[in-house]
Amino acid sequence: MSVFLLAVLFWLAAWAFNEWLVRRQPESRTQARLIGIVVPLIFGATLLVLWEGAVRGFEVPFVLLPPPSAIWDRLINSLPILWADFRQTFLKAVLAGYVLGCGSGFLVAILIDRSPFLQRGLLPLGNFVSALPVIGVAPIMVMWFGFDWPSKAAVVIIMTFFPMLVNTVQGLTAASAMERDLMRTYAAGYWQTLFKLRLPAAGPFIFNALKINSTLALIGAIVAEFFGTPIVGMGFRISTEVGRMNIDMVWAEIAVAALAGSVFYGVVALVERAATFWHPSIRGG
């Protein structure tokens, strides 16, 4: 219990320090960015300390919830295994499925924009397919494409295709009627209007889909590995180690997946800031 009380005291002290930081008036943009980084880091560290103190103070069984220190030890001592799982799941299935799913969704959105028939017929079907649960789709993809990473990439393609499709179609209507009329007065054709007006206006919608898909892709690949995979992969490792009661290894895989997903999302967000710097949401930030 004393360990838990020390953790609570540390949490209260860190909370007070965070409150002091956020109430400060930064003197420069560099200082403001530094505060923006330090505050969430301190908050995350206090959560880990509380977790450690609660597990050790209340003597929670290891198979229910291991302390962060044990998870860290397992992570450090299992780097070769974790790297192999990361390479199988993220570098092969997630990235391949993400590129193919988002790319094909974008191209089909352009075709739908050119064809009112496809807009009325394919979009309702897309909304229906996007509601299919990954638990139902994954076993079928494993039967079709085998146990290796292509079947997981197929699941990722299905999960990322329709968010990109719907967001791009919606974004292509973002340009106002006055802006489209102005392009017509310049005698601009369809493709000129598309590349110079409508696609830039659709940029925030497209990047919104890319950010959503960056998390959906990893979730879909990991869940798909529960239904058949070689002896490597994040989903395989999680399902196997749970059966062996190696819960610290399960949490180590979860930590790697969370870190990979966060970095992936952050990279997409940085590209969005560079590509849509003109948008009010970016300028205001």
Side-chain angles (χ1 to χ4, degrees):
M1 183 62 70
S2 60
V3 177
F4 177 68
L5 292 178
L6 289 175
V8 171
L9 290 175
F10 176 82
W11 174 67
L12 291 174
W15 189 353
F17 182 64
N18 261 353
E19 285 287 339
W20 177 77
L21 281 178
V22 298
R23 294 177 187 275
R24 283 178 56 86
Q25 295 295 331
E27 299 176 356
S28 63
R29 295 188 64 179
T30 302
Q31 191 178 43
R33 289 178 180 177
L34 185 61
I35 292 175
I37 295 173
V38 171
V39 168
L41 287 178
I42 294 176
F43 181 77
T46 57
L47 290 182
L48 292 177
V49 171
L50 274 178
W51 179 355
E52 184 84 20
V55 169
R56 296 192 180 279
F58 294 105
E59 298 181 352
V60 178
F62 189 85
V63 296
L64 294 181
L65 185 64
S69 58
I71 298 171
W72 175 256
D73 289 340
R74 176 54 72 101
L75 193 152
I76 294 300
N77 294 325
S78 304
L79 286 178
I81 296 176
L82 294 172
W83 167 248
D85 293 339
F86 173 80
R87 183 176 56 191
Q88 173 75 12
T89 302
F90 191 86
L91 298 183
K92 293 182 179 180
V94 171
L95 291 185
Y98 181 83
V99 171
L100 292 175
C102 293
S104 57
F106 177 80
L107 293 177
V108 172
I110 301 298
L111 294 177
I112 288 177
D113 183 68
R114 292 283 286 171
S115 172
F117 169 75
L118 289 177
Q119 189 170 6
R120 294 188 180 95
L122 189 57
L123 277 182
L125 179 63
N127 292 329
F128 170 76
V129 175
S130 63
L132 293 177
V134 63
I135 296 177
V137 174
I140 299 175
M141 295 299 103
V142 170
M143 292 177 61
W144 286 1
F145 299 102
F147 287 92
D148 210 348
W149 66 267
S151 60
K152 318 309 178 291
V155 173
V156 174
I157 291 172
I158 294 174
M159 294 189 67
T160 57
F161 176 83
F162 291 102
M164 175 58 74
L165 173 66
V166 173
N167 276 272
T168 303
V169 170
Q170 184 67 29
L172 289 174
T173 64
S176 66
M178 182 178 298
E179 291 170 331
R180 294 194 297 269
D181 289 340
L182 179 63
M183 294 298 292
R184 280 193 289 269
T185 62
Y186 292 151
Y190 172 81
W191 294 107
Q192 287 178 313
T193 304
L194 179 68
F195 286 108
K196 295 183 181 297
L197 172 64
R198 301 180 67 202
L199 279 181
F205 292 86
I206 296 172
F207 277 101
N208 185 50
L210 290 173
K211 289 188 292 186
I212 292 172
N213 287 341
S214 67
T215 55
L216 286 179
L218 186 58
I219 294 172
I222 290 176
V223 172
E225 287 181 345
F226 279 70
F227 297 92
T229 185
I231 55 173
V232 66
M234 292 182 174
F236 165 80
R237 195 71 55 195
I238 290 173
S239 61
T240 302
E241 298 301 332
V242 163
R244 296 175 178 174
M245 293 298 179
N246 293 330
I247 308 302
D248 53 347
M249 186 63 178
V250 174
W251 278 99
E253 286 284 0
I254 292 173
V256 172
L259 180 61
S262 299
V263 172
F264 193 15
Y265 184 96
V267 169
V268 176
L270 288 176
V271 175
E272 178 188 19
R273 292 185 66 88
T276 60
F277 59 90
W278 50 268
H279 196 265
S281 63
I282 304 299
R283 296 201 310 266

